[in-house]
Amino acid sequence: MNASFASETDGRLARFVNAHPWWFVLALLGILEGILVGLGFLGRAFIRFSHVPAQPVRDVLELLLVIVAFLLISRLKWWRQTGFMQGITWKDMPLLLFPIIFMLFIAIPTLFPLIFGPNKVALDQFLSLALFCGLVGLAEESLCRGLILQAFLSKGVLRAIILSALVFGLLHTSNLFAGYSLGFVVGQILLAFGLGLTYAVIRLRTGSIWPVIILHGLYDYAPLVRASKFGIPPIDVWQALLGSGFLFLLYLIYAAIALRPSKLAELRAHYQSKNVDLPPVETVDMQPVDLPAQE
């Protein structure tokens, strides 16, 4: 494949995504669900018959998702659009304050007894799960707050935030095939929807994807360390709705405040293209003017 043909192919792909974001997202979801479900079954069979630890298999699965995301971002030439080329500044810190404090509020009481208490977790397990959470944050944010959010921006900023968060929540339905209970998965979907709203707002307001990659990995870390030691407690659907519903409400309030009308107007002016839901700019109907003939 020569360079000109590759460039033409990449251009067609970008135009297709901009014109048909839903088809792109549905195709991407089909690929992701196929990877998650198919390799999930293969991974469990491999672990069962070869007796290798489960964690390296999960690491490989997340690394595969990262590769898929990075290949698509490269083909679309979206490294800048998806926020990988942008850092954050001190003026972004107030926006990150609530997610950071809330993450620490969950992490510190969870991790403290697992570090200093009688049920200590081994150091190699801490490090292994840290690597896994880093891969999860990189994979899921590249896909959801990178590719999917950017694709939906052609539908408008507010729609892109809501739709990308909804897709992020529904992606967790694949955990039903991994053997998790219905209650646990329902709670995950609801919580992921709220987190998706929060992360999408942060991604667009800072212009950078790195804060949400880091927040995502850190947010998952403490619960996964605890689950590695004690397992996942049984939970029914009503418990999931109540517990995750409360957390969803907190994230929804945060997103609404961070996306207040003045900020939403700024984001629309910055991100939305000519085919988005901004009202069209009024133009003056220019009529031809007869100029007097020069003598």
Side-chain angles (χ1 to χ4, degrees):
M1 182 183 293
N2 58 42
S4 61
F5 180 78
S7 177
E8 183 182 349
T9 303
D10 295 347
R12 284 202 298 266
L13 178 61
R15 288 192 296 272
F16 174 82
V17 173
N18 289 328
H20 308 286
W22 267 114
W23 286 112
F24 170 74
V25 171
L26 288 174
L28 181 59
L29 286 179
I31 294 171
L32 296 180
E33 291 293 345
I35 292 173
L36 291 171
V37 175
L39 290 186
F41 280 121
L42 290 175
R44 286 198 302 278
F46 181 73
I47 291 166
R48 179 179 178 184
F49 293 109
S50 64
H51 306 291
V52 299
Q55 195 56 58
V57 177
R58 297 188 184 113
D59 290 345
V60 170
L61 175 60
E62 292 299 327
L63 182 59
L64 183 58
L65 295 179
V66 171
I67 292 171
V68 169
F70 280 14
L71 284 174
L72 283 171
I73 292 171
S74 294
R75 291 296 301 271
L76 290 163
K77 296 181 173 60
W78 275 5
W79 290 108
R80 186 172 299 280
Q81 290 90 329
T82 51
F84 279 95
M85 308 299 289
Q86 175 71 33
I88 62 171
T89 61
W90 284 108
K91 68 185 177 79
D92 297 317
M93 292 310 296
L95 182 68
L96 302 175
L97 197 58
F98 169 75
I100 291 173
I101 291 174
F102 193 69
M103 180 267 298
L104 292 175
F105 179 77
I106 294 174
I108 291 175
T110 302
L111 291 176
F112 190 84
L114 298 174
I115 298 173
F116 302 104
N119 296 310
K120 291 182 181 179
V121 174
L123 178 61
D124 61 340
Q125 186 73 357
F126 273 114
L127 296 176
S128 174
L129 289 172
L131 173 63
F132 176 68
C133 288
L135 288 172
V136 169
L138 185 59
E140 295 188 3
E141 293 308 312
S142 298
L143 291 164
C144 294
R145 256 64 62 184
L147 286 164
I148 293 174
L149 179 62
Q150 180 64 30
F152 277 139
L153 276 177
S154 64
K155 296 295 184 183
V157 167
L158 189 57
R159 290 194 188 106
I161 291 171
I162 295 172
L163 290 173
S164 64
L166 182 60
V167 169
F168 179 55
L170 293 177
L171 270 175
H172 290 78
T173 57
S174 62
N175 285 331
L176 286 171
F177 300 97
Y180 293 99
S181 68
L182 177 62
F184 178 78
V185 174
V186 167
Q188 268 198 322
I189 292 171
L190 193 55
L191 180 57
F193 186 25
L195 282 169
L197 294 172
T198 294
Y199 291 164
V201 171
I202 292 173
R203 154 73 185 88
L204 293 181
R205 280 198 52 182
T206 64
S208 175
I209 199 170
W210 293 110
V212 293
I213 289 174
I214 296 169
L215 281 170
H216 191 145
L218 292 175
Y219 186 90
D220 286 351
Y221 185 61
L224 278 175
V225 172
R226 180 176 177 80
S228 72
K229 187 69 177 181
F230 301 108
I232 298 173
I235 182 173
D236 61 33
V237 174
W238 287 110
Q239 288 175 315
L241 289 174
L242 287 174
S244 297
F246 174 71
L247 296 176
F248 169 77
L249 183 61
L250 289 179
Y251 285 115
L252 182 62
I253 292 170
Y254 167 83
I257 294 172
L259 208 64
R260 55 193 179 274
S262 61
K263 294 299 180 183
L264 181 59
E266 290 177 10
L267 292 179
R268 281 175 166 161
H270 182 74
Y271 287 105
Q272 290 185 191
S273 58
K274 61 183 181 180
N275 61 336
V276 194
D277 56 4
L278 280 176
V281 178
E282 294 184 2
T283 57
V284 179
D285 186 13
M286 301 296 291
Q287 299 293 336
V289 177
D290 294 331
L291 298 176
Q294 292 183 351
E295 295 180 358

